[in-house]
Structures are given as structure tokens and as C-alpha cells.
């Protein structure tokens, strides 16, 4: 049986989000081509931070024109990147208040230091052509629907990125135009965050 990821069927979104999470591991120049094969278009990024020639933080935003859907895609851990392992994956002994990133978050919402570092790294990324950060870009784009996805470390950072974007774009309240798909991620924070 062949699954058609471009069809608007019951499984379209989970299959597409899994595929996008996989594409996030491709080389930067191959990401737009692979995303286009899904009927989507990269509109921000891909952007990444590197140390010692190894990427440790990567993200891109793609769009499906109808019905004006934007998806933020966060890459998982590069297995060769000590920076990603040490500063994002393994930094779990200390917590930080999530409202330092999302001002409307409850004061008792805490995330691991690694999650805090990972989100800050993602927020420091800029689109190579517009030089905009992801929040600034999405504020200008005003997507009708906004999704966030990622696998592994990307799956860990998906819930806090979702909450942060909700906070910065919609004031942190209940929304019906956002969804997230997190695959094989760890718990990013404590019970207050969850």
C-alpha cells in the first residue's frame, strides 16, 4: 500500500509532520527541494547554529498556501555535535522559569536548562535572506494555521516552542488555529510547565 502524503486524508498531518521532521536532518541545500516534493514551500530558513563544523540547532518554516498553513520544523540532535548533547540534551539538573521566554506563562512553569538553552538557540536563528527571527517572521506572516513539529531533541523543543509562539503571537490564551506534533522527545519541563 502506498501512502500519499500530499492528499488531504485523515493521516495527512501526522505523516507530513513525520516526513518534515526527517527532512530537517538533510543538508541545508536539500531541505527546500524535499519540502517542495511534499507540496509545501520553505518560507523561512533553514537556519542553523554550528560549533566545530557540526550543527547543533536547526529550524525552518514551511508553508502550504491553501489553507494558509505554516509549520515550524525543529531538527533533532546531530549525533556528532557535542554542543547539542551537552548544552541541550543532557542539561537537565537545573530548571529555568519558562516565563523568561514566554511572558504570559505561569510563574510556576519551569523547563530544564537544556530546553531553555535549546529554545534560546532557536530564537537566535535568523532567516538567511530576511535576517528575521522566527517570531518576527511569523508576526508579519499572520498565518491562519500554525503548526510546530520535531523529532528527538526537536520533539523535546516542540511543546515549548508551540507555547512560546502562542504567547508571542496570540497572547498565550486558548487557540484553535495551532497544533503540534512531537515525536520521540523528552519531557521539556516540570508539572507546572505541562
Amino acid at each position: 500500500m502506498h501512502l500519499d502524503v500530499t492528499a488531504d486524508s485523515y493521516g495527512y498531518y501526522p505523516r507530513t509532520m513525520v516526513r518534515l521532521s526527517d527532512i530537517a536532518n538533510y543538508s541545508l541545500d536539500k531541505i527546500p527541494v524535499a519540502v517542495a516534493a511534499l507540496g509545501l514551500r520553505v518560507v523561512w530558513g533553514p537556519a542553523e547554529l554550528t560549533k566545530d563544523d557540526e550543527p547543533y540547532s536547526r529550524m525552518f518554516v514551511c508553508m502550504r498556501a491553501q489553507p494558509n498553513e505554516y509549520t515550524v520544523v525543529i531538527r533533532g540532535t546531530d549525533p556528532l555535535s557535542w554542543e547539542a548533547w551537552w548544552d541541550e540534551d543532557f542539561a537537565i539538573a537545573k530548571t529555568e522559569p519558562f516565563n523568561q521566554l514566554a511572558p504570559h506563562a505561569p510563574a510556576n512553569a519551569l523547563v530544564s536548562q537544556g530546553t531553555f538553552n535549546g529554545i534560546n538557540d532557536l530564537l537566535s536563528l535568523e532567516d538567511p535572506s530576511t535576517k528575521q527571527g522566527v517570531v518576527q517572521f511569523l508576526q508579519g506572516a499572520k498565518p491562519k494555521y500554525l503548526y510546530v513539529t520535531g523529532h528527538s531533541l526537536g520533539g523535546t523543543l516542540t511543546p515549548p516552542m508551540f507555547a512560546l509562539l502562542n504567547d508571542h503571537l496570540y497572547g498565550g490564551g486558548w487557540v484553535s488555529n495551532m497544533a503540534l506534533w512531537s515525536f520521540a522527545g523528552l519531557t521539556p519541563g516540570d508539572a507546572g510547565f505541562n
Side-chain angles (χ1 to χ4, degrees):
M1 181 175 148
H2 174 70
L3 296 176
D4 180 5
V5 296
T6 61
D8 281 321
S9 63
Y10 174 76
Y12 169 79
Y13 289 102
R15 287 193 318 266
T16 301
M17 298 306 160
V18 165
R19 190 72 186 104
L20 289 170
S21 295
D22 178 48
I23 290 169
N25 295 298
Y26 291 16
S27 63
L28 293 180
D29 61 323
K30 294 192 182 331
I31 289 174
V33 174
V35 168
L38 297 177
L40 308 169
R41 181 171 55 98
V42 173
V43 292
W44 182 94
E48 69 180 9
L49 296 175
T50 61
K51 185 171 184 178
D52 300 325
D53 294 325
E54 295 298 333
Y56 65 90
S57 189
R58 180 188 291 171
M59 182 170 58
F60 67 89
V61 179
C62 58
M63 174 191 181
R64 184 165 79 144
Q66 289 298 327
N68 191 17
E69 296 174 336
Y70 286 69
T71 303
V72 176
V73 184
I74 305 167
R75 181 192 174 158
T77 305
D78 182 316
L80 301 177
S81 171
W82 178 250
E83 191 77 18
W85 287 107
W86 187 254
D87 287 340
E88 295 178 357
D89 286 305
F90 295 153
I92 58 172
K94 184 179 172 196
T95 58
E96 295 286 345
F98 187 61
N99 64 10
Q100 290 183 31
L101 299 169
H104 297 100
N108 70 334
L110 302 176
V111 295
S112 73
Q113 184 67 56
T115 297
F116 190 81
N117 295 344
I119 292 295
N120 273 311
D121 286 342
L122 293 173
L123 293 176
S124 75
L125 295 173
E126 292 183 343
D127 177 73
S129 58
T130 67
K131 304 301 181 201
Q132 290 183 319
V134 71
V135 173
Q136 182 185 11
F137 169 77
L138 290 169
Q139 286 171 331
K142 298 181 180 10
K144 182 174 181 180
Y145 300 102
L146 180 58
Y147 308 132
V148 183
T149 193
H151 173 267
S152 184
L153 175 60
T156 301
L157 298 177
T158 290
M161 181 57 78
F162 173 92
L164 181 142
L165 292 173
N166 176 1
D167 191 90
H168 287 277
L169 275 62
Y170 307 112
W174 187 87
V175 291
S176 61
N177 68 321
M178 289 184 72
L180 66 90
W181 286 268
S182 174
F183 305 102
L186 301 173
T187 301
D190 69 352
F193 173 80
N194 290 333

